Amino acid sequence: MAVRRILITGGAGFIGSALVRLIITATPDSVMVADKLTYAGNLDSLSPVSTHRRYAFRRLDICDGPALRQTLEDYRPDCIMHLAAESHVDRSIDGPADFIRTNIDGTYRLLEAARRYWQSLDAPQQGRFRLHHISTDEVYGDLADTGGLFSETTPYAPSSPYSASKAASDHLVRAWHRTYGLPVLITNCSNNYGPYQFPEKLIPLVILNALAGKPLPVYGDGMQIRDWLYVEDHARALYQVVVSGKIGETYNIGGGNERKNIEVAQTLCALLDELAPRPIGVTSYSDRIAFVADRPGHDRRYAIDAGKIQRELGWQPEETFDSGLRKTVQWYLSHEAWWRRVQDGSYYSGERLGLAR
Ligand code: NAD
């Protein structure tokens, strides 16, 4: 196939920016990032590719239907990869409204804009077009300690406002395929970690709190199990799906790395003890681990069966949990300027664009 033009919603976020960096540096395709630049959008994360001639950026709220339609008309993409979302479970518990708005209403507006655009294309262009919706394994709910794995046919049973809003968006995407024939692909992925992750999430939070000598918060008893995937492996999987995935299909993506949260915190502390040792006589970073009140509705275990994408599309993660975690710690140690700007608020891209927060 010829070189693609890919519109990426949410491309200034953690996973979106990894995907954009991958596409610009490792493929011949062009990218337009369409992003509202909420607190989670960070143009610093796109600076490695932002001057590239195949890269473009447009500030866009996916809930703004007319602006979406105009963007599709202007850019004329072959593919849309939809990552824009409110993504942090704790924020969804404190204030679900933004999650309902962006994740559900925004996805609906994107589907409608995409449908009109797709219907206006000629037959060869229609045949090339696809909309890839990026979702989460949290839609499947809690595996408890059953030993089972989430497959593509596991019934949906979301627990939090975040996962419920993502489940709703998945249903809408499937309905637009079944009802209107819109060529869609869906992926549901496990917990990501890696470079450029906003430090409200567990792994960067533990690293940066440890370096600052602060307590390292772990929810409840720390026995919640997550299946961790290095973000660059996720980005490669997403690109593989948009290029080779079968229209209408869902693919689960996971690293096969089930770890208890407490183990993750302890492993990070051991890596920091090695890579950023504290002064002689001062105890290990792990002494700062502090159990805090559990999150309401906290699922105990998520774990993905990624067999389908491995068998059908030949995708495999390149990083083990140990190699990916080591790379992540090294990245945070060598990119202090990036996280300092997040911590002091100066990263906030909207202000750089002259916009109110
Ligand atoms: P993120 O919070 O880091 O980034 C979200 C991006 O979407 C930000 O750039 C933000 O500015 C943008 N955005 C938010 N609302 C918008 C709106 N109304 N219009 C346009 N842009 C908007 O999220 P992430 O961790 O990179 O996750 C990306 C996607 O992957 C999400 O859909 C999420 O549900 C899914 N996902 C995440 C994980 C994970 O572990 N982080 C795992 C599986 C799936």
Side-chain angles (χ1 to χ4, degrees), residues 182-202:
L182 188 70
V184 307
L185 298 146
I186 299 178
T187 49
N188 295 84
C189 186
S190 59
N191 274 42
N192 282 219
Y193 69 99
Y196 299 97
Q197 188 167 28
F198 201 79
E200 64 185 357
K201 304 275 173 101
L202 178 68

Side-chain angles (χ1 to χ4, degrees), residues 8-18 33-42 46 57-64 82-88 98 101-103 106 133-138 162 166 169 187-193 196-198 200-201 228-229 231 234 238 253:
I8 301 185
T9 73
F14 167 51
I15 299 170
S17 67
V33 169
D35 197 298
K36 182 180 175 185
L37 299 179
T38 67
Y39 81 94
N42 188 345
L46 290 164
F57 176 83
R58 181 171 291 194
R59 186 169 189 259
L60 175 84
D61 182 345
I62 57 164
C63 299
D64 182 344
H82 176 37
L83 294 95
E86 289 291 336
S87 72
H88 189 45
D98 283 347
R101 180 182 179 278
T102 288
N103 299 1
H133 175 62
I134 284 78
S135 192
T136 166
D137 64 349
E138 299 192 31
Y162 163 65
K166 291 296 291 187
S169 67
T187 49
N188 295 84
C189 186
S190 59
N191 274 42
N192 282 219
Y193 69 99
Y196 299 97
Q197 188 167 28
F198 201 79
E200 64 185 357
K201 304 275 173 101
W228 293 94
L229 181 67
V231 67
H234 187 195
L238 295 177
I253 307 170

Side-chain angles (χ1 to χ4, degrees), residues 143 146-151 154 227 252 258 301-306:
L143 276 171
T146 58
L149 299 172
F150 296 133
S151 77
T154 300
D227 177 353
N252 280 355
E258 286 187 55
R301 175 169 170 256
Y302 304 136
I304 280 273
D305 174 357

Side-chain angles (χ1 to χ4, degrees), residues 123-352:
Q125 289 171 328
Q126 279 195 352
R128 266 203 308 275
F129 182 80
R130 54 213 57 206
L131 184 149
H132 177 179
H133 175 62
I134 284 78
S135 192
T136 166
D137 64 349
E138 299 192 31
V139 298
Y140 300 123
D142 192 0
L143 276 171
D145 295 323
T146 58
L149 299 172
F150 296 133
S151 77
E152 287 79 1
T153 54
T154 300
Y156 278 29
S159 303
S160 69
Y162 163 65
S163 53
S165 68
K166 291 296 291 187
S169 67
D170 293 10
H171 291 317
L172 291 173
V173 172
R174 282 198 187 89
W176 259 245
H177 176 62
R178 284 289 296 269
T179 305
Y180 304 109
L182 188 70
V184 307
L185 298 146
I186 299 178
T187 49
N188 295 84
C189 186
S190 59
N191 274 42
N192 282 219
Y193 69 99
Y196 299 97
Q197 188 167 28
F198 201 79
E200 64 185 357
K201 304 275 173 101
L202 178 68
I203 288 177
L205 183 73
V206 167
I207 296 171
L208 299 187
N209 276 16
L211 292 175
K214 292 183 184 167
L216 313 181
V218 173
Y219 279 127
D221 59 5
M223 302 301 273
Q224 306 86 357
I225 296 172
R226 300 292 179 262
D227 177 353
W228 293 94
L229 181 67
Y230 191 64
V231 67
E232 292 173 11
D233 280 328
H234 187 195
R236 285 190 309 100
L238 295 177
Y239 187 72
Q240 185 86 35
V241 168
V242 87
V243 169
S244 323
K246 195 167 155 218
I247 298 294
E249 292 289 315
T250 295
Y251 298 90
N252 280 355
I253 307 170
N257 294 306
E258 286 187 55
R259 294 289 188 286
K260 297 185 179 79
N261 283 349
I262 183 66
E263 286 176 323
V264 173
Q266 283 164 341
T267 309
L268 284 168
C269 289
L271 279 166
L272 284 165
D273 285 339
E274 177 195 330
L275 298 170
R278 307 190 73 194
I280 292 167
V282 180
T283 50
S284 161
Y285 289 101
S286 61
D287 292 346
R288 292 270 176 175
I289 291 176
F291 294 98
V292 298
D294 207 353
R295 163 194 284 170
H298 206 172
D299 292 328
R300 294 294 287 178
R301 175 169 170 256
Y302 304 136
I304 280 273
D305 174 357
K308 178 174 172 181
I309 187 172
Q310 291 171 357
R311 278 190 311 277
E312 296 186 10
L313 304 184
W315 171 83
Q316 289 281 354
E318 287 178 1
E319 301 296 339
T320 64
F321 190 62
D322 288 344
S323 68
L325 213 55
R326 178 173 288 271
K327 277 190 173 177
T328 303
V329 171
Q330 284 167 331
W331 188 88
Y332 279 91
L333 290 173
S334 61
H335 288 77
E336 186 171 341
W338 183 88
W339 51 264
R340 289 267 181 226
R341 279 170 52 74
V342 174
Q343 287 179 328
D344 69 19
S346 56
Y347 81 101
Y348 180 62
S349 308
E351 268 157 28
R352 213 188 309 168

